[in-house]
Amino acid sequence: MRVLGINALFHDPSAALLVDGRLVAAAEEERFSRRKHGKRPVPFAAWELPEQAARWCLEHAGLRPQDLDAVAYSFDPALAKPAEEMGLPDPWDWLRVRYAERAPEFLATALPGLSASAVRFVPHEIAHAASAALASPFPVASVLSLDGRGERSSHLAGRYDHGRLEVLASQELPHSLGLVYESLTEHLGFLRSSDEYKVMALASYGEPRFLGELRELWYATDDGGFVAEVPDWTRWAPRRTDDGTWGEQHGGTAAHADLAASVQARLEEVLVDLATWLHGRTGDRVLALAGGTALNCVANSRIWRESPFEEVWVQPAAGDSGTAIGAAMQLAAEAGETVEPMGSAALGRSWSDDELAATLRTARVPFTTPADLPGEVAQILADDGVVAWFDGRSEMGPRALGHRSLLAHPGPVENLERLNDVKGREQFRPVAPMVLLEHAAEIFSGGPVPSPHMLFVHDVAPAWRERIPTVVHVDGTARIQTVDGSTPRLQAMLRAFEGRTGLPVVVNTSLNTAGRPMVDDPREALELFGSAPVDALVLGPHLVRRAEVFAR
């Protein structure tokens, strides 16, 4: 069975292709259009489809639209209720639903040869849930999906048993932990449905002094749901207007940081309560998580530590982009197919070594193809150079996992400020470490190991905090990525760096600058290299040194 999954209605439009139960391609439209998140999540943009991502998925598999058995669209308009009935302040939501109803015709127009009758609607929260449990390596798992909103709910708790879903609880709108967090993001001056991770980072700089009041407002209920409505945030801190920086001179105060810390802490508590209730109903060993809330890696670690589940698996593309994967998997499972686990997040575009070399020659950029590329890169990093690393298929989801990454030495404390300057972002933002798997447990604790998708935070051992200060957040934690033999070139580079410095850790942050999507193709990598103070660029097996490019 050949199923194309489509996410289009809210934000992060994406496409994913499942062939005979195997996920062969997935990509976000932003990587092609170069618009961050693809589009803004407003009703007037709901008609926009991930046309380029869908076409690429089909081209990658050598398929035509008419070859598809089904197209899975991750929203079911038949389930939607008018916004006013759900208590949502969105007078144009009816237009969003109307666009969803016409999605089959829109898709048939965008993908000539496709029959509109091939399009199937998959409920949004089920698409999230399937993207977690069906994509995980566990045939039986409890599943939690929490996001801003779907058709009429913001949450699903259930259980997958060999492809079959049992829904155990659901929370109807307007109660939504995701909408609460989105609203706080906007109140703090950041971009809603985009910058929620900034709130999570900012929370570490504050004290949760409003936690007692928030416990009275938001809480889990004994039926597996919760109470959570957006409050008047000015009760605790004035609304802030962002100018791209932080500090009192830019409108950011201790009250704002304390509010972020309080909301973050209460979110974590409610999520642990929801997971505990679910475990009480299923007794399962494994919990699978998806929905935008599952990108909150601090909360994920707390669930891992404090809930009764032994293992927690999080979809790498836990936000709406991942619903393209889940919708396709759900349709395949309902048709009786066995869905294979998602082995990697590296599901996007790639270029051959020859194609990368041709791109460099066309750009008239001098390069070498070293016999020991990992060793040469390790030396550049050991000498405190910054390296743009572009290798293999691009990642699905928001995390750079060593395919489209900026790498640096974790030792000099000033490298955090340096990298934030390179990327043009706020100085309170942390950067993350990638670490050799065999050394992870001796340096990091308080979260699962392996942790290959950068979806949990770990405590950094006190003895290591002064050795790798660049990647240690203000609260003594780090969001790690463990590296093993599945990415041999990256693993070899880390081992070479360890040999030179004694550190099995390098800085890993996404290969982009503020407000722009991650680099996806080699031309974009060259553009970033030419415009940012990066010392070297890796394109597959090829190496470009800044000093050689700009010496001419």
Side-chain angles (χ1 to χ4, degrees), residues 25 29 89 136 152 155 162 173 188 204 209 262 291 300-301 371 392 514 551:
E29 187 72 4
S136 81
R152 60 171 65 186
H155 155 259
H162 293 85
L173 295 164
L188 294 177
S204 298
R209 58 189 174 98
S262 302
N300 292 345
S301 289

Side-chain angles (χ1 to χ4, degrees), residues 357-382:
T359 298
L360 291 165
R361 293 190 186 100
T362 298
R364 298 182 181 179
V365 171
F367 69 95
T368 60
T369 307
D372 181 18
L373 176 74
E376 292 206 21
V377 172
Q379 189 59 55
I380 294 169
L381 294 171

Side-chain angles (χ1 to χ4, degrees), residues 16 45 66 152 159 166 228 236 342 448 469 472 484 494 500 531:
Q66 55 265 41
R152 60 171 65 186
R159 184 175 194 257
E166 177 187 8
W236 298 288
M342 176 181 169
V472 182
D484 60 18
L494 275 165
R500 288 162 171 78
S531 62

Side-chain angles (χ1 to χ4, degrees), residues 78-378:
L79 299 178
K81 291 171 63 176
E84 58 270 21
E85 290 185 20
M86 296 187 290
L88 295 177
D90 192 348
W92 288 99
D93 190 56
W94 65 268
L95 182 61
R96 179 185 283 118
V97 176
R98 183 67 56 84
Y99 283 143
E101 291 170 343
R102 301 300 299 272
E105 290 84 3
F106 291 162
L107 284 162
T109 302
L111 301 172
L114 175 71
S115 171
S117 63
V119 179
R120 304 282 186 272
F121 295 117
V122 177
H124 190 72
E125 296 302 334
I126 289 179
H128 269 310
S131 79
L134 294 181
S136 81
F138 305 102
V140 177
S142 297
V143 62
L144 271 178
S145 165
L146 292 118
D147 64 352
R149 59 163 296 192
E151 296 87 355
R152 60 171 65 186
S153 65
S154 68
H155 155 259
L156 180 150
R159 184 175 194 257
Y160 272 92
D161 186 343
H162 293 85
R164 296 178 63 87
L165 170 64
E166 177 187 8
V167 177
L168 298 172
S170 173
Q171 180 56 58
E172 290 217 344
L173 295 164
H175 300 282
S176 169
L177 292 166
L179 289 182
V180 163
Y181 213 89
E182 287 180 18
S183 174
L184 174 65
T185 300
E186 186 175 46
H187 184 76
L188 294 177
F190 304 124
L191 184 61
R192 184 179 184 133
S193 297
S194 174
D195 292 348
E196 283 69 27
Y197 57 91
K198 295 184 183 180
V199 178
M200 183 179 67
L202 180 62
S204 298
Y205 289 85
E207 294 294 331
R209 58 189 174 98
F210 310 122
L211 182 56
E213 296 172 75
L214 297 182
R215 284 175 175 152
E216 297 178 5
L217 295 177
W218 309 324
Y219 48 88
T221 53
D222 58 9
D223 60 356
F226 52 85
V227 171
E229 292 191 74
V230 175
D232 178 3
W233 298 112
T234 59
R235 174 177 173 181
W236 298 288
R239 185 180 179 91
R240 176 178 171 269
T241 301
D242 188 36
D243 66 356
T245 54
W246 185 266
E248 285 193 38
Q249 68 272 36
H250 303 285
T253 67
H256 291 103
D258 289 349
L259 181 56
S262 302
V263 173
Q264 174 66 33
R266 188 57 185 148
L267 172 71
E268 296 166 20
E269 291 176 345
V270 175
L271 292 179
V272 171
D273 288 344
L274 293 173
T276 301
W277 178 91
L278 180 56
H279 186 271
R281 292 292 303 272
T282 68
D284 287 331
R285 190 178 67 83
V286 177
L287 174 65
L289 293 175
T293 306
L295 291 173
N296 192 305
C297 53
V298 179
N300 292 345
S301 289
R302 189 156 177 187
I303 292 170
W304 181 84
R305 289 193 304 269
E306 298 182 20
S307 80
F309 290 99
E310 296 176 34
E311 293 203 47
V312 178
W313 193 88
V314 185
Q315 164 59 241
D320 271 11
S321 66
T323 64
I325 295 172
M329 288 184 167
Q330 183 67 24
L331 277 193
E334 290 177 357
E337 285 201 333
T338 299
V339 176
E340 295 182 17
M342 176 181 169
S344 168
L347 294 162
R349 291 187 289 177
S350 67
W351 283 260
S352 71
D353 295 349
D354 288 343
E355 288 171 329
L356 295 171
T359 298
L360 291 165
R361 293 190 186 100
T362 298
R364 298 182 181 179
V365 171
F367 69 95
T368 60
T369 307
D372 181 18
L373 176 74
E376 292 206 21
V377 172

Side-chain angles (χ1 to χ4, degrees), residues 401 450-454 480-483:
L401 302 172
S451 184
H453 298 132
M454 211 180 281
I480 76 169
Q481 176 200 354
T482 54
V483 174

Side-chain angles (χ1 to χ4, degrees), residues 344-535:
S344 168
L347 294 162
R349 291 187 289 177
S350 67
W351 283 260
S352 71
D353 295 349
D354 288 343
E355 288 171 329
L356 295 171
T359 298
L360 291 165
R361 293 190 186 100
T362 298
R364 298 182 181 179
V365 171
F367 69 95
T368 60
T369 307
D372 181 18
L373 176 74
E376 292 206 21
V377 172
Q379 189 59 55
I380 294 169
L381 294 171
D383 292 336
D384 204 21
V386 175
V387 177
W389 181 278
F390 180 110
D391 192 24
R393 298 181 71 173
S394 58
E395 302 94 336
M396 177 68 168
R399 307 288 192 242
L401 302 172
H403 299 267
R404 306 289 187 271
S405 291
L406 275 172
L407 308 178
H409 197 304
V413 67
E414 62 272 12
N415 274 353
L416 174 58
E417 181 176 351
R418 177 186 179 192
L419 285 167
N420 280 329
D421 284 342
V422 167
K423 291 169 69 72
R425 62 185 203 174
E426 302 91 345
Q427 287 299 336
F428 68 80
R429 301 267 299 278
V431 291
M434 59 169 57
V435 56
L436 286 168
L437 176 58
E438 58 265 32
H439 291 289
E442 69 189 69
I443 304 173
F444 304 104
S445 63
V449 173
S451 184
H453 298 132
M454 211 180 281
L455 289 163
F456 298 86
V457 297
H458 294 66
D459 296 319
V460 183
W464 280 87
R465 292 180 186 179
E466 293 184 1
R467 300 185 67 187
I468 53 172
T470 304
V471 297
V472 182
H473 196 31
V474 66
D475 60 0
T477 66
R479 188 185 68 200
I480 76 169
Q481 176 200 354
T482 54
V483 174
D484 60 18
S486 62
T487 50
R489 188 140 50 200
L490 199 61
Q491 183 188 56
M493 182 278 294
L494 275 165
R495 286 181 173 162
F497 183 76
E498 181 189 16
R500 288 162 171 78
T501 65
L503 304 175
V505 176
V506 300
V507 177
N508 173 26
T509 187
S510 55
L511 188 57
N512 67 326
T513 52
R516 298 180 181 179
M518 266 195 284
V519 161
D520 200 73
D521 75 26
R523 290 176 61 90
E524 294 153 11
L526 282 169
E527 289 170 2
L528 184 147
F529 178 71
S531 62
V534 174
D535 298 287

